Amino acid sequence: MTQLNRRACLAGLMALVSTPALAATAPGVAITIDDFDLSADPLMRGEARDGRLRESLDRFGIKAAGFVAGRNAVGEAGPTVLRAWSDGGHAIGNHSYSHNYYDGKDPLAYWQDIVKAEDVLKPYAGFRKLFRFPFLGEGKTVEGRDAMRQLLSDNGYRNGHVTIDTSDWFYSSRLVARLKADPKADLAPYRQAYLDHIWEKATFYDGVGQQVFGRSIDHTLLLHHNLINGLFLGDLLAMFKARGWRLVDAAPAFAQPELARTYDAMPSGQSVVLQAAIASGRPELARYPGEDSAYEKAKLDALGL
């Protein structure tokens, strides 16, 4: 092969690698934010924290989904924040009114709590009939799980699945506790621990997804409306982008076939990737419970955080 032909061949390969079809094989990540507790933290008020979250999303040009507990939408700041999310093109999903755990024992009573939240959320243009179970618990029995699935389906709801479950809430609680004890505490170690944690969870769940689905999907990442995300969401998005992941909008991520369907897996709930692994006969790929503090406490203790 001549040097000219080698150059032409190399140019062709580079062009092929850069095509959108091949680029799309990289994992995608959509941001979903739960609860919308707008109480103040040691560094900022809830509205200011929300502004930082939306600024980070806007800076990277992506549309998120917020799963709002109805009780958090009726306070003084709630309407202002939800209007800002709607005006920004972000989706607003239902996270129940009371944020109680669904154990499956009384589906009708739990459904009434979902309806109560819908009454609060549906006036906002961004409202979508996506429901996310608090604590990702879909019922401890097959009967309770299926009864709630039927109620949701009959009333036009889809499950606002999580693929990448995280313990961001635990990392944030440790940071809050440190700042209460020492308002001048160095934030940098918490930032790094948070980024490392989310990356570890993302690669774990994507690895399971590749084995179950045969490819990387566009993931829905579970985060919360808390201090650590208010501080470092922009850094998190920059990390994913720098490491080759695509930043995607939440709405099309939820529409993927793997997320739009339900899985006959017990225990029900947690990451839909783990549900799919159990349903496919590969429970060894899953772990239960989900991202509990038990997995993270010793790690943060060892770091002195």
Side-chain angles (χ1 to χ4, degrees):
M1 182 181 290
T2 68
Q3 185 174 5
L4 182 60
N5 286 339
R6 287 195 190 97
R7 288 177 178 171
C9 182
L10 180 59
L13 287 172
M14 291 300 292
L16 184 62
V17 168
S18 64
T19 59
L22 284 182
T25 62
V29 60
I31 301 301
T32 73
I33 296 179
D34 279 14
D35 297 355
F36 280 61
D37 180 355
L38 298 173
S39 57
D41 59 53
L43 295 182
M44 64 191 88
R45 297 181 58 175
E47 302 98 309
R49 184 172 65 245
D50 186 74
R52 289 179 63 101
L53 292 169
R54 287 185 288 103
E55 186 279 328
S56 295
L57 296 168
D58 291 346
R59 182 160 24 106
F60 286 88
I62 55 173
K63 304 302 182 184
F67 287 90
V68 182
R71 67 185 185 186
N72 293 329
V74 295
E76 181 179 349
T80 301
V81 165
L82 294 188
R83 279 195 298 270
W85 274 70
S86 287
D87 292 346
H90 304 292
I92 296 172
N94 191 326
H95 198 40
S96 81
Y97 187 89
S98 304
H99 200 266
N100 292 328
Y101 178 80
Y102 175 60
D103 61 11
K105 292 181 180 179
D106 195 343
L108 288 176
Y110 199 86
W111 170 249
Q112 290 305 311
D113 197 66
I114 295 172
V115 172
K116 186 177 180 180
E118 181 180 329
D119 288 342
V120 173
L121 301 174
K122 66 184 179 183
Y124 298 96
F127 175 68
R128 301 290 181 267
K129 283 197 168 184
L130 287 169
F131 178 71
R132 177 169 290 170
F133 287 87
F135 313 102
L136 304 185
E138 296 182 33
K140 293 185 175 181
T141 65
V142 172
E143 294 76 15
R145 177 199 70 188
D146 290 350
M148 185 53 64
R149 284 180 175 179
Q150 192 64 54
L151 282 166
L152 290 168
S153 177
D154 288 348
N155 289 277
Y157 273 91
R158 291 191 294 119
N159 195 328
H161 286 301
V162 167
T163 66
I164 301 172
D165 192 5
T166 77
S167 299
D168 71 307
W169 56 274
F170 184 66
Y171 281 66
S172 193
S173 70
R174 297 281 289 239
L175 174 56
V176 167
R178 174 60 59 86
L179 287 170
K180 286 181 177 179
D182 178 10
K184 297 182 179 180
D186 185 4
L187 301 180
Y190 289 89
R191 171 188 176 277
Q192 191 60 54
Y194 160 81
L195 294 176
D196 291 344
H197 168 70
I198 301 296
W199 182 247
E200 178 190 354
K201 297 303 109 184
T203 53
F204 167 72
Y205 285 103
D206 186 60
V208 175
Q210 288 183 41
Q211 294 185 67
V212 175
F213 304 133
R215 67 181 183 90
S216 289
I217 63 172
D218 287 350
H219 290 278
T220 51
L221 172 65
L222 171 59
L223 300 174
H224 291 83
H225 203 295
N226 58 27
L227 173 59
I228 208 158
N229 289 304
L231 290 172
F232 305 129
L233 177 60
D235 295 332
L236 180 67
L237 294 172
M239 178 189 74
F240 275 115
K241 190 172 182 179
R243 295 182 180 182
W245 283 47
R246 296 173 297 110
L247 304 180
V248 301
D249 292 343
F254 282 118
Q256 293 171 106
E258 294 88 349
L259 303 191
R261 62 164 294 188
T262 56
Y263 294 93
D264 186 14
M266 293 297 291
S268 61
Q270 309 305 315
S271 164
V272 68
V273 170
L274 302 191
Q275 290 186 40
I278 296 169
S280 68
R282 305 189 68 183
E284 74 279 1
L285 297 177
R287 74 182 197 176
Y288 190 84
E291 300 309 323
D292 195 272
S293 59
Y295 299 122
E296 306 301 326
K297 183 178 184 302
K299 185 186 305 181
L300 292 182
D301 285 348
L303 291 171
L305 302 179

